[in-house]
Amino acid sequence: MPNRLAQETSPYLQQHADNPVDWYAWGPEALAESKRSGKPILLSIGYSACHWCHVMAHESFEDADVAKVMNELFVNIKVDREERPDIDQIYQTAQAMLTQRNGGWPLTMFLTAEQVPFFGGTYFPKTARYGLPGFPDLLKRVRAYHDEAGGEIREQNAQLLAALARTGPKASGAVAMPDRGAIDAAFEFLKQSFDGENGGFGGAPKFPHPESIETLLRRYAADGDRDALSMAAFTLAKMAEGGIFDQLGGGFARYSVDDEWAIPHFEKMLYDNGWLLRLYADAWLATREPLFERTAEETAAWVMREMQSSEGGYYSSLDADSEGHEGKYYVWTPDEVKALLKPEEYAVVAPHYGLDGAPNFENVAWNFIVTGPVTDSALLESARKKLFVAREKRIRPGRDDKVLVSWNALMIAGMARAARAFGKPEWLASARRSLAFIRQQMWKDGRLLATYKDGRAHLDAYLDDYAFLLAALLEAMQASHEPGDLEWATQLGDVLLEHFQDAQDGGFFFTAHDHETLIHRPKPGHDNATPSGNGVAALALNRLAYLTGEMRFRDAAERTLALYAPQIARHPAGFGSLIATLEEMLVPPRLVKLSGPEDAIAPWKAMLDAVYMPATMVVSQPGASSVNALVCEGVTCLPPITSEAALRETLKIPTIASS
């Protein structure tokens, strides 16, 4: 019989619905059962595209003997970290404090009935190996410790809660705003950590770090710094030609296990691709590099083909595994490729994708990477189409088809920005479909719900949902005029101020004031796999202030920046989103308002969309009888500009930029 998880919206939880484990989802029922029974809580956190989560599930959670021990000794709670990032943040931090080791997934934590963790780790094998104890033995030892060391656990719990409380930033008197020095320091740090041979920052495992690439591109736009542009463009090129990019189907995997971007961890996440799509569009505007255009086109095509539901929302992720093996869907052997292609096609494909070299995946297969130039583009294209069609017939990796507001918002922003840069109305239409879906299904009574699947939206939304959606709306507004956009954006800004803002210290909590009470309330400012909610909120609210004239939004952004000033000073490169906010605090964003008949505005807008100006917002107001542009720097506006040439001259746009 399926357990309770069969009723959940999370595909990850549903994957465990047939386990013999007596799983609960996080909620009042599970927490009350722990208190009633006296059993501690075994909290297992993961997500559907997580390879080691699958391994632990197959080894332990599907095993009747292991499940019997779990059920006898613990109240077992399964959490999808993508639906409950609030819970995941808390217990990842606690795990690091308790073990002095990095966290990850699956996260395995043991809690008292009061939800305070007293022991934990990540993956545990069923039988002892990798220097780790076997899971059934560990369960018995942890339960014995819980029952016998109550005083020690209570003392440790008090220390842990105090340590968690200290992780949040606190305003200490009159904190000075960061200055230009923080921007320079972030750039210097990125220069020092830059991999000049392979691109990117640091070594394996190698993540894209889009926040760092964006910091470099923005520096180039602000100062004309060619070194910054060179580092960003080199990294983006290496990634686009590497195995982290799906050379046949488009889209980026989560990270590379090596320094050269050759072998990825094959899961594809919506959030990575939304942010990277935006960066490839920006980098193309700055360089006109054809590789960046092709990469953006293939990523957008993948998103619309495989990641957008018929209702309009974007799905969350694709699994790394298929048929029980990571990467099996994506890799090839030369014999498989030869069997599908003409000899002349293979002669082009083999040296281009590395099939004429040694296998690069587990010593037996080839993951396509660009290793040589294109010798015949027509033959390469015909070969790619044949290989793609053949790959489509393989057993596909699983898809997590829940819709998350925050991740959708990152993709909406990416699609809208790329649509402007490349003049692709179908990409904008895709972004607008997702926006319409969120508004219809996940915006209820003036508040957002975080997740949706199979006709059901639920869970209170988080800071990232509101902040990322506000930023996405500001991107969509620049791509096309829709009358309701600014009003909705203002409502989102008001919710941020009313329900998330820390009135005492500034900044924004990750959860709303009326959210479920947990053992800690995070207020994250550091960028991670997704940008910081505080950073995105501050940047978007500052821009919203200039669009609406409502300076309460700018004040909230300023207080946020001031709150994180000490942390930014210590590690500026970790706060790319807040560094971008700082740039637009020091030099207010420029606003260009176009008015006039829609067809007459179009060439003016096309000229502006063809230039990389990250600190400029362009909005249009069709309807007036004559065309003009109002250019405002902060709260100061120039007289209306009535010719395209004069606007080009005012904004110092070179003629070549509109070609």
PDB file of all heavy atoms in Angstrom, residues 9 11 83 270 307-309 311-316 400-408 434 437-438 442 449-454 456-458 465:
ATOM      1  N   THR A   9       2.261  16.897  -3.650  1.00  0.00           N
ATOM      2  CA  THR A   9       2.477  17.467  -4.988  1.00  0.00           C
ATOM      3  C   THR A   9       3.909  17.285  -5.474  1.00  0.00           C
ATOM      4  O   THR A   9       4.176  17.431  -6.660  1.00  0.00           O
ATOM      5  CB  THR A   9       2.162  18.974  -5.004  1.00  0.00           C
ATOM      6  OG1 THR A   9       2.969  19.628  -4.010  1.00  0.00           O
ATOM      7  CG2 THR A   9       0.704  19.245  -4.744  1.00  0.00           C
ATOM      8  N   PRO A  11       7.041  15.567  -6.887  1.00  0.00           N
ATOM      9  CA  PRO A  11       7.450  14.298  -7.513  1.00  0.00           C
ATOM     10  C   PRO A  11       8.490  13.560  -6.687  1.00  0.00           C
ATOM     11  O   PRO A  11       8.514  12.327  -6.693  1.00  0.00           O
ATOM     12  CB  PRO A  11       8.012  14.752  -8.870  1.00  0.00           C
ATOM     13  CG  PRO A  11       7.281  16.018  -9.169  1.00  0.00           C
ATOM     14  CD  PRO A  11       7.132  16.702  -7.841  1.00  0.00           C
ATOM     15  N   GLU A  83      10.515  22.379  -2.569  1.00  0.00           N
ATOM     16  CA  GLU A  83       9.245  22.900  -2.059  1.00  0.00           C
ATOM     17  C   GLU A  83       9.402  23.557  -0.694  1.00  0.00           C
ATOM     18  O   GLU A  83       8.663  24.479  -0.364  1.00  0.00           O
ATOM     19  CB  GLU A  83       8.206  21.768  -1.959  1.00  0.00           C
ATOM     20  CG  GLU A  83       7.648  21.321  -3.283  1.00  0.00           C
ATOM     21  CD  GLU A  83       6.355  20.529  -3.136  1.00  0.00           C
ATOM     22  OE1 GLU A  83       6.073  19.990  -2.039  1.00  0.00           O
ATOM     23  OE2 GLU A  83       5.596  20.447  -4.116  1.00  0.00           O
ATOM     24  N   LEU A 270      16.064  24.133 -13.942  1.00  0.00           N
ATOM     25  CA  LEU A 270      15.465  25.305 -14.583  1.00  0.00           C
ATOM     26  C   LEU A 270      16.196  26.581 -14.185  1.00  0.00           C
ATOM     27  O   LEU A 270      16.452  27.451 -15.012  1.00  0.00           O
ATOM     28  CB  LEU A 270      13.981  25.402 -14.192  1.00  0.00           C
ATOM     29  CG  LEU A 270      13.185  26.507 -14.894  1.00  0.00           C
ATOM     30  CD1 LEU A 270      12.992  26.191 -16.363  1.00  0.00           C
ATOM     31  CD2 LEU A 270      11.834  26.707 -14.211  1.00  0.00           C
ATOM     32  N   MET A 307      10.471  21.806 -21.169  1.00  0.00           N
ATOM     33  CA  MET A 307      10.309  22.290 -19.798  1.00  0.00           C
ATOM     34  C   MET A 307       9.098  23.181 -19.585  1.00  0.00           C
ATOM     35  O   MET A 307       8.910  23.690 -18.479  1.00  0.00           O
ATOM     36  CB  MET A 307      11.582  23.038 -19.366  1.00  0.00           C
ATOM     37  CG  MET A 307      12.844  22.186 -19.390  1.00  0.00           C
ATOM     38  SD  MET A 307      12.769  20.709 -18.359  1.00  0.00           S
ATOM     39  CE  MET A 307      12.918  21.452 -16.732  1.00  0.00           C
ATOM     40  N   GLN A 308       8.268  23.387 -20.606  1.00  0.00           N
ATOM     41  CA  GLN A 308       7.089  24.232 -20.420  1.00  0.00           C
ATOM     42  C   GLN A 308       5.829  23.393 -20.569  1.00  0.00           C
ATOM     43  O   GLN A 308       5.649  22.671 -21.553  1.00  0.00           O
ATOM     44  CB  GLN A 308       7.069  25.397 -21.413  1.00  0.00           C
ATOM     45  CG  GLN A 308       5.980  26.432 -21.093  1.00  0.00           C
ATOM     46  CD  GLN A 308       6.263  27.779 -21.709  1.00  0.00           C
ATOM     47  OE1 GLN A 308       6.903  27.892 -22.746  1.00  0.00           O
ATOM     48  NE2 GLN A 308       5.776  28.845 -21.067  1.00  0.00           N
ATOM     49  N   SER A 309       4.954  23.504 -19.572  1.00  0.00           N
ATOM     50  CA  SER A 309       3.715  22.727 -19.581  1.00  0.00           C
ATOM     51  C   SER A 309       2.707  23.336 -20.538  1.00  0.00           C
ATOM     52  O   SER A 309       2.816  24.506 -20.934  1.00  0.00           O
ATOM     53  CB  SER A 309       3.122  22.689 -18.174  1.00  0.00           C
ATOM     54  OG  SER A 309       2.528  23.936 -17.848  1.00  0.00           O
ATOM     55  N   GLU A 311      -0.080  24.230 -19.723  1.00  0.00           N
ATOM     56  CA  GLU A 311      -0.749  25.308 -18.981  1.00  0.00           C
ATOM     57  C   GLU A 311       0.066  26.593 -18.976  1.00  0.00           C
ATOM     58  O   GLU A 311      -0.462  27.661 -18.668  1.00  0.00           O
ATOM     59  CB  GLU A 311      -0.990  24.868 -17.540  1.00  0.00           C
ATOM     60  CG  GLU A 311      -1.963  23.717 -17.377  1.00  0.00           C
ATOM     61  CD  GLU A 311      -2.097  23.300 -15.927  1.00  0.00           C
ATOM     62  OE1 GLU A 311      -1.200  22.588 -15.434  1.00  0.00           O
ATOM     63  OE2 GLU A 311      -3.080  23.710 -15.276  1.00  0.00           O
ATOM     64  N   GLY A 312       1.365  26.493 -19.261  1.00  0.00           N
ATOM     65  CA  GLY A 312       2.204  27.687 -19.327  1.00  0.00           C
ATOM     66  C   GLY A 312       3.361  27.715 -18.357  1.00  0.00           C
ATOM     67  O   GLY A 312       4.364  28.366 -18.606  1.00  0.00           O
ATOM     68  N   GLY A 313       3.245  27.052 -17.209  1.00  0.00           N
ATOM     69  CA  GLY A 313       4.323  27.068 -16.231  1.00  0.00           C
ATOM     70  C   GLY A 313       5.514  26.248 -16.682  1.00  0.00           C
ATOM     71  O   GLY A 313       5.383  25.302 -17.474  1.00  0.00           O
ATOM     72  N   TYR A 314       6.689  26.611 -16.192  1.00  0.00           N
ATOM     73  CA  TYR A 314       7.906  25.856 -16.491  1.00  0.00           C
ATOM     74  C   TYR A 314       8.132  24.783 -15.432  1.00  0.00           C
ATOM     75  O   TYR A 314       7.997  25.042 -14.232  1.00  0.00           O
ATOM     76  CB  TYR A 314       9.126  26.779 -16.512  1.00  0.00           C
ATOM     77  CG  TYR A 314       9.119  27.827 -17.601  1.00  0.00           C
ATOM     78  CD1 TYR A 314       9.086  29.180 -17.283  1.00  0.00           C
ATOM     79  CD2 TYR A 314       9.182  27.473 -18.949  1.00  0.00           C
ATOM     80  CE1 TYR A 314       9.107  30.159 -18.270  1.00  0.00           C
ATOM     81  CE2 TYR A 314       9.193  28.445 -19.944  1.00  0.00           C
ATOM     82  CZ  TYR A 314       9.162  29.792 -19.592  1.00  0.00           C
ATOM     83  OH  TYR A 314       9.172  30.756 -20.579  1.00  0.00           O
ATOM     84  N   TYR A 315       8.518  23.589 -15.889  1.00  0.00           N
ATOM     85  CA  TYR A 315       8.845  22.498 -14.968  1.00  0.00           C
ATOM     86  C   TYR A 315      10.181  22.766 -14.270  1.00  0.00           C
ATOM     87  O   TYR A 315      10.941  23.642 -14.669  1.00  0.00           O
ATOM     88  CB  TYR A 315       8.910  21.175 -15.721  1.00  0.00           C
ATOM     89  CG  TYR A 315       7.629  20.759 -16.404  1.00  0.00           C
ATOM     90  CD1 TYR A 315       7.640  20.300 -17.719  1.00  0.00           C
ATOM     91  CD2 TYR A 315       6.412  20.812 -15.739  1.00  0.00           C
ATOM     92  CE1 TYR A 315       6.464  19.902 -18.354  1.00  0.00           C
ATOM     93  CE2 TYR A 315       5.238  20.411 -16.366  1.00  0.00           C
ATOM     94  CZ  TYR A 315       5.267  19.964 -17.678  1.00  0.00           C
ATOM     95  OH  TYR A 315       4.106  19.571 -18.300  1.00  0.00           O
ATOM     96  N   SER A 316      10.485  21.947 -13.266  1.00  0.00           N
ATOM     97  CA  SER A 316      11.616  22.252 -12.388  1.00  0.00           C
ATOM     98  C   SER A 316      12.952  21.690 -12.856  1.00  0.00           C
ATOM     99  O   SER A 316      13.960  22.391 -12.809  1.00  0.00           O
ATOM    100  CB  SER A 316      11.323  21.738 -10.974  1.00  0.00           C
ATOM    101  OG  SER A 316      10.268  22.467 -10.389  1.00  0.00           O
ATOM    102  N   ASP A 400      10.982  16.418 -13.191  1.00  0.00           N
ATOM    103  CA  ASP A 400      10.223  16.927 -12.046  1.00  0.00           C
ATOM    104  C   ASP A 400       9.287  18.006 -12.577  1.00  0.00           C
ATOM    105  O   ASP A 400       9.716  19.104 -12.937  1.00  0.00           O
ATOM    106  CB  ASP A 400      11.182  17.505 -10.997  1.00  0.00           C
ATOM    107  CG  ASP A 400      10.462  17.877  -9.705  1.00  0.00           C
ATOM    108  OD1 ASP A 400       9.359  18.466  -9.790  1.00  0.00           O
ATOM    109  OD2 ASP A 400      10.995  17.603  -8.616  1.00  0.00           O
ATOM    110  N   ASP A 401       7.999  17.670 -12.628  1.00  0.00           N
ATOM    111  CA  ASP A 401       7.052  18.550 -13.322  1.00  0.00           C
ATOM    112  C   ASP A 401       6.247  19.442 -12.387  1.00  0.00           C
ATOM    113  O   ASP A 401       5.183  19.929 -12.767  1.00  0.00           O
ATOM    114  CB  ASP A 401       6.117  17.730 -14.216  1.00  0.00           C
ATOM    115  CG  ASP A 401       5.318  16.690 -13.446  1.00  0.00           C
ATOM    116  OD1 ASP A 401       5.558  16.508 -12.242  1.00  0.00           O
ATOM    117  OD2 ASP A 401       4.439  16.051 -14.063  1.00  0.00           O
ATOM    118  N   LYS A 402       6.765  19.691 -11.190  1.00  0.00           N
ATOM    119  CA  LYS A 402       6.110  20.712 -10.370  1.00  0.00           C
ATOM    120  C   LYS A 402       6.557  22.097 -10.857  1.00  0.00           C
ATOM    121  O   LYS A 402       7.614  22.246 -11.474  1.00  0.00           O
ATOM    122  CB  LYS A 402       6.421  20.533  -8.885  1.00  0.00           C
ATOM    123  CG  LYS A 402       7.851  20.771  -8.479  1.00  0.00           C
ATOM    124  CD  LYS A 402       8.009  20.628  -6.960  1.00  0.00           C
ATOM    125  CE  LYS A 402       9.441  20.839  -6.510  1.00  0.00           C
ATOM    126  NZ  LYS A 402      10.365  19.812  -7.003  1.00  0.00           N
ATOM    127  N   VAL A 403       5.755  23.091 -10.589  1.00  0.00           N
ATOM    128  CA  VAL A 403       6.029  24.463 -11.009  1.00  0.00           C
ATOM    129  C   VAL A 403       6.315  25.289  -9.756  1.00  0.00           C
ATOM    130  O   VAL A 403       5.480  25.376  -8.859  1.00  0.00           O
ATOM    131  CB  VAL A 403       4.824  25.058 -11.774  1.00  0.00           C
ATOM    132  CG1 VAL A 403       5.063  26.522 -12.103  1.00  0.00           C
ATOM    133  CG2 VAL A 403       4.557  24.258 -13.047  1.00  0.00           C
ATOM    134  N   LEU A 404       7.499  25.864  -9.693  1.00  0.00           N
ATOM    135  CA  LEU A 404       7.905  26.715  -8.573  1.00  0.00           C
ATOM    136  C   LEU A 404       7.947  28.167  -9.042  1.00  0.00           C
ATOM    137  O   LEU A 404       8.534  28.468 -10.081  1.00  0.00           O
ATOM    138  CB  LEU A 404       9.288  26.309  -8.058  1.00  0.00           C
ATOM    139  CG  LEU A 404       9.425  24.879  -7.534  1.00  0.00           C
ATOM    140  CD1 LEU A 404      10.889  24.546  -7.291  1.00  0.00           C
ATOM    141  CD2 LEU A 404       8.628  24.709  -6.242  1.00  0.00           C
ATOM    142  N   VAL A 405       7.352  29.071  -8.272  1.00  0.00           N
ATOM    143  CA  VAL A 405       7.320  30.478  -8.675  1.00  0.00           C
ATOM    144  C   VAL A 405       8.729  31.021  -8.851  1.00  0.00           C
ATOM    145  O   VAL A 405       9.046  31.665  -9.855  1.00  0.00           O
ATOM    146  CB  VAL A 405       6.544  31.326  -7.646  1.00  0.00           C
ATOM    147  CG1 VAL A 405       6.731  32.824  -7.930  1.00  0.00           C
ATOM    148  CG2 VAL A 405       5.059  30.989  -7.669  1.00  0.00           C
ATOM    149  N   SER A 406       9.607  30.782  -7.875  1.00  0.00           N
ATOM    150  CA  SER A 406      10.935  31.408  -7.905  1.00  0.00           C
ATOM    151  C   SER A 406      11.723  30.968  -9.137  1.00  0.00           C
ATOM    152  O   SER A 406      12.336  31.790  -9.822  1.00  0.00           O
ATOM    153  CB  SER A 406      11.708  31.071  -6.631  1.00  0.00           C
ATOM    154  OG  SER A 406      11.820  29.670  -6.455  1.00  0.00           O
ATOM    155  N   TRP A 407      11.716  29.670  -9.423  1.00  0.00           N
ATOM    156  CA  TRP A 407      12.486  29.176 -10.569  1.00  0.00           C
ATOM    157  C   TRP A 407      11.849  29.605 -11.879  1.00  0.00           C
ATOM    158  O   TRP A 407      12.544  29.913 -12.848  1.00  0.00           O
ATOM    159  CB  TRP A 407      12.624  27.665 -10.504  1.00  0.00           C
ATOM    160  CG  TRP A 407      13.397  27.179  -9.321  1.00  0.00           C
ATOM    161  CD1 TRP A 407      13.828  27.909  -8.242  1.00  0.00           C
ATOM    162  CD2 TRP A 407      13.838  25.838  -9.092  1.00  0.00           C
ATOM    163  NE1 TRP A 407      14.504  27.110  -7.362  1.00  0.00           N
ATOM    164  CE2 TRP A 407      14.524  25.832  -7.852  1.00  0.00           C
ATOM    165  CE3 TRP A 407      13.712  24.653  -9.800  1.00  0.00           C
ATOM    166  CZ2 TRP A 407      15.090  24.671  -7.319  1.00  0.00           C
ATOM    167  CZ3 TRP A 407      14.269  23.498  -9.274  1.00  0.00           C
ATOM    168  CH2 TRP A 407      14.957  23.513  -8.052  1.00  0.00           C
ATOM    169  N   ASN A 408      10.519  29.607 -11.940  1.00  0.00           N
ATOM    170  CA  ASN A 408       9.839  30.138 -13.123  1.00  0.00           C
ATOM    171  C   ASN A 408      10.231  31.583 -13.369  1.00  0.00           C
ATOM    172  O   ASN A 408      10.467  31.999 -14.502  1.00  0.00           O
ATOM    173  CB  ASN A 408       8.321  30.023 -12.979  1.00  0.00           C
ATOM    174  CG  ASN A 408       7.768  28.727 -13.537  1.00  0.00           C
ATOM    175  OD1 ASN A 408       7.060  28.721 -14.537  1.00  0.00           O
ATOM    176  ND2 ASN A 408       8.106  27.616 -12.896  1.00  0.00           N
ATOM    177  N   SER A 434       4.106  31.830 -18.916  1.00  0.00           N
ATOM    178  CA  SER A 434       4.438  31.458 -17.540  1.00  0.00           C
ATOM    179  C   SER A 434       3.941  32.511 -16.559  1.00  0.00           C
ATOM    180  O   SER A 434       3.383  32.180 -15.507  1.00  0.00           O
ATOM    181  CB  SER A 434       5.945  31.259 -17.396  1.00  0.00           C
ATOM    182  OG  SER A 434       6.288  30.988 -16.053  1.00  0.00           O
ATOM    183  N   PHE A 437       0.264  32.126 -16.156  1.00  0.00           N
ATOM    184  CA  PHE A 437      -0.037  30.937 -15.361  1.00  0.00           C
ATOM    185  C   PHE A 437       0.126  31.227 -13.870  1.00  0.00           C
ATOM    186  O   PHE A 437      -0.734  30.875 -13.051  1.00  0.00           O
ATOM    187  CB  PHE A 437       0.880  29.787 -15.777  1.00  0.00           C
ATOM    188  CG  PHE A 437       0.756  28.578 -14.889  1.00  0.00           C
ATOM    189  CD1 PHE A 437      -0.271  27.672 -15.077  1.00  0.00           C
ATOM    190  CD2 PHE A 437       1.655  28.366 -13.849  1.00  0.00           C
ATOM    191  CE1 PHE A 437      -0.402  26.563 -14.246  1.00  0.00           C
ATOM    192  CE2 PHE A 437       1.532  27.265 -13.018  1.00  0.00           C
ATOM    193  CZ  PHE A 437       0.502  26.361 -13.217  1.00  0.00           C
ATOM    194  N   ILE A 438       1.233  31.863 -13.504  1.00  0.00           N
ATOM    195  CA  ILE A 438       1.466  32.182 -12.088  1.00  0.00           C
ATOM    196  C   ILE A 438       0.369  33.090 -11.563  1.00  0.00           C
ATOM    197  O   ILE A 438      -0.161  32.888 -10.460  1.00  0.00           O
ATOM    198  CB  ILE A 438       2.855  32.820 -11.909  1.00  0.00           C
ATOM    199  CG1 ILE A 438       3.954  31.789 -12.179  1.00  0.00           C
ATOM    200  CG2 ILE A 438       3.014  33.400 -10.507  1.00  0.00           C
ATOM    201  CD1 ILE A 438       5.345  32.378 -12.264  1.00  0.00           C
ATOM    202  N   MET A 442      -1.357  30.811  -9.005  1.00  0.00           N
ATOM    203  CA  MET A 442      -0.507  30.844  -7.813  1.00  0.00           C
ATOM    204  C   MET A 442      -0.524  32.197  -7.105  1.00  0.00           C
ATOM    205  O   MET A 442       0.199  32.397  -6.130  1.00  0.00           O
ATOM    206  CB  MET A 442       0.928  30.448  -8.202  1.00  0.00           C
ATOM    207  CG  MET A 442       0.966  29.099  -8.922  1.00  0.00           C
ATOM    208  SD  MET A 442       2.597  28.552  -9.474  1.00  0.00           S
ATOM    209  CE  MET A 442       3.279  27.947  -7.917  1.00  0.00           C
ATOM    210  N   LEU A 449       1.479  31.549  -3.785  1.00  0.00           N
ATOM    211  CA  LEU A 449       1.714  30.188  -3.318  1.00  0.00           C
ATOM    212  C   LEU A 449       2.965  29.677  -4.020  1.00  0.00           C
ATOM    213  O   LEU A 449       3.233  30.025  -5.164  1.00  0.00           O
ATOM    214  CB  LEU A 449       0.508  29.302  -3.612  1.00  0.00           C
ATOM    215  CG  LEU A 449      -0.767  29.718  -2.869  1.00  0.00           C
ATOM    216  CD1 LEU A 449      -1.986  28.987  -3.432  1.00  0.00           C
ATOM    217  CD2 LEU A 449      -0.642  29.450  -1.373  1.00  0.00           C
ATOM    218  N   ALA A 450       3.745  28.846  -3.348  1.00  0.00           N
ATOM    219  CA  ALA A 450       5.095  28.547  -3.811  1.00  0.00           C
ATOM    220  C   ALA A 450       5.165  27.491  -4.904  1.00  0.00           C
ATOM    221  O   ALA A 450       6.019  27.558  -5.786  1.00  0.00           O
ATOM    222  CB  ALA A 450       5.964  28.106  -2.629  1.00  0.00           C
ATOM    223  N   THR A 451       4.271  26.482  -4.855  1.00  0.00           N
ATOM    224  CA  THR A 451       4.440  25.314  -5.725  1.00  0.00           C
ATOM    225  C   THR A 451       3.098  24.868  -6.292  1.00  0.00           C
ATOM    226  O   THR A 451       2.050  25.069  -5.669  1.00  0.00           O
ATOM    227  CB  THR A 451       5.113  24.164  -4.941  1.00  0.00           C
ATOM    228  OG1 THR A 451       5.379  23.074  -5.827  1.00  0.00           O
ATOM    229  CG2 THR A 451       4.250  23.670  -3.801  1.00  0.00           C
ATOM    230  N   TYR A 452       3.147  24.262  -7.490  1.00  0.00           N
ATOM    231  CA  TYR A 452       1.929  23.821  -8.174  1.00  0.00           C
ATOM    232  C   TYR A 452       2.214  22.516  -8.892  1.00  0.00           C
ATOM    233  O   TYR A 452       3.257  22.352  -9.530  1.00  0.00           O
ATOM    234  CB  TYR A 452       1.500  24.876  -9.193  1.00  0.00           C
ATOM    235  CG  TYR A 452       0.350  24.462 -10.094  1.00  0.00           C
ATOM    236  CD1 TYR A 452      -0.958  24.833  -9.793  1.00  0.00           C
ATOM    237  CD2 TYR A 452       0.571  23.708 -11.256  1.00  0.00           C
ATOM    238  CE1 TYR A 452      -2.017  24.457 -10.628  1.00  0.00           C
ATOM    239  CE2 TYR A 452      -0.475  23.324 -12.086  1.00  0.00           C
ATOM    240  CZ  TYR A 452      -1.765  23.706 -11.760  1.00  0.00           C
ATOM    241  OH  TYR A 452      -2.808  23.337 -12.574  1.00  0.00           O
ATOM    242  N   LYS A 453       1.254  21.598  -8.802  1.00  0.00           N
ATOM    243  CA  LYS A 453       1.298  20.368  -9.602  1.00  0.00           C
ATOM    244  C   LYS A 453      -0.086  19.753  -9.633  1.00  0.00           C
ATOM    245  O   LYS A 453      -0.796  19.752  -8.624  1.00  0.00           O
ATOM    246  CB  LYS A 453       2.302  19.371  -9.016  1.00  0.00           C
ATOM    247  CG  LYS A 453       2.533  18.133  -9.910  1.00  0.00           C
ATOM    248  CD  LYS A 453       3.570  17.206  -9.327  1.00  0.00           C
ATOM    249  CE  LYS A 453       3.858  16.043 -10.268  1.00  0.00           C
ATOM    250  NZ  LYS A 453       2.679  15.178 -10.493  1.00  0.00           N
ATOM    251  N   ASP A 454      -0.454  19.235 -10.798  1.00  0.00           N
ATOM    252  CA  ASP A 454      -1.710  18.500 -10.964  1.00  0.00           C
ATOM    253  C   ASP A 454      -2.917  19.281 -10.447  1.00  0.00           C
ATOM    254  O   ASP A 454      -3.771  18.754  -9.733  1.00  0.00           O
ATOM    255  CB  ASP A 454      -1.620  17.143 -10.255  1.00  0.00           C
ATOM    256  CG  ASP A 454      -0.530  16.252 -10.830  1.00  0.00           C
ATOM    257  OD1 ASP A 454      -0.193  16.423 -12.012  1.00  0.00           O
ATOM    258  OD2 ASP A 454      -0.005  15.400 -10.089  1.00  0.00           O
ATOM    259  N   ARG A 456      -3.107  21.665  -8.265  1.00  0.00           N
ATOM    260  CA  ARG A 456      -3.087  22.094  -6.865  1.00  0.00           C
ATOM    261  C   ARG A 456      -1.893  22.999  -6.583  1.00  0.00           C
ATOM    262  O   ARG A 456      -0.753  22.607  -6.782  1.00  0.00           O
ATOM    263  CB  ARG A 456      -3.018  20.868  -5.956  1.00  0.00           C
ATOM    264  CG  ARG A 456      -2.987  21.198  -4.466  1.00  0.00           C
ATOM    265  CD  ARG A 456      -2.799  19.941  -3.651  1.00  0.00           C
ATOM    266  NE  ARG A 456      -2.523  20.223  -2.247  1.00  0.00           N
ATOM    267  CZ  ARG A 456      -1.814  19.440  -1.447  1.00  0.00           C
ATOM    268  NH1 ARG A 456      -1.304  18.311  -1.913  1.00  0.00           N
ATOM    269  NH2 ARG A 456      -1.600  19.773  -0.193  1.00  0.00           N
ATOM    270  N   ALA A 457      -2.178  24.222  -6.154  1.00  0.00           N
ATOM    271  CA  ALA A 457      -1.135  25.141  -5.701  1.00  0.00           C
ATOM    272  C   ALA A 457      -1.209  25.226  -4.183  1.00  0.00           C
ATOM    273  O   ALA A 457      -2.296  25.314  -3.610  1.00  0.00           O
ATOM    274  CB  ALA A 457      -1.329  26.521  -6.315  1.00  0.00           C
ATOM    275  N   HIS A 458      -0.057  25.201  -3.514  1.00  0.00           N
ATOM    276  CA  HIS A 458      -0.074  25.289  -2.050  1.00  0.00           C
ATOM    277  C   HIS A 458       1.294  25.715  -1.541  1.00  0.00           C
ATOM    278  O   HIS A 458       2.222  25.951  -2.323  1.00  0.00           O
ATOM    279  CB  HIS A 458      -0.507  23.958  -1.422  1.00  0.00           C
ATOM    280  CG  HIS A 458       0.498  22.854  -1.518  1.00  0.00           C
ATOM    281  ND1 HIS A 458       0.932  22.134  -0.433  1.00  0.00           N
ATOM    282  CD2 HIS A 458       1.162  22.329  -2.575  1.00  0.00           C
ATOM    283  CE1 HIS A 458       1.803  21.218  -0.818  1.00  0.00           C
ATOM    284  NE2 HIS A 458       1.957  21.313  -2.107  1.00  0.00           N
ATOM    285  N   ASP A 465      10.446  33.840  -4.055  1.00  0.00           N
ATOM    286  CA  ASP A 465       9.302  33.860  -4.966  1.00  0.00           C
ATOM    287  C   ASP A 465       8.899  35.297  -5.297  1.00  0.00           C
ATOM    288  O   ASP A 465       8.697  35.643  -6.461  1.00  0.00           O
ATOM    289  CB  ASP A 465       8.121  33.111  -4.347  1.00  0.00           C
ATOM    290  CG  ASP A 465       8.425  31.646  -4.097  1.00  0.00           C
ATOM    291  OD1 ASP A 465       8.758  30.941  -5.058  1.00  0.00           O
ATOM    292  OD2 ASP A 465       8.347  31.209  -2.936  1.00  0.00           O
TER     293      ASP A 465
END
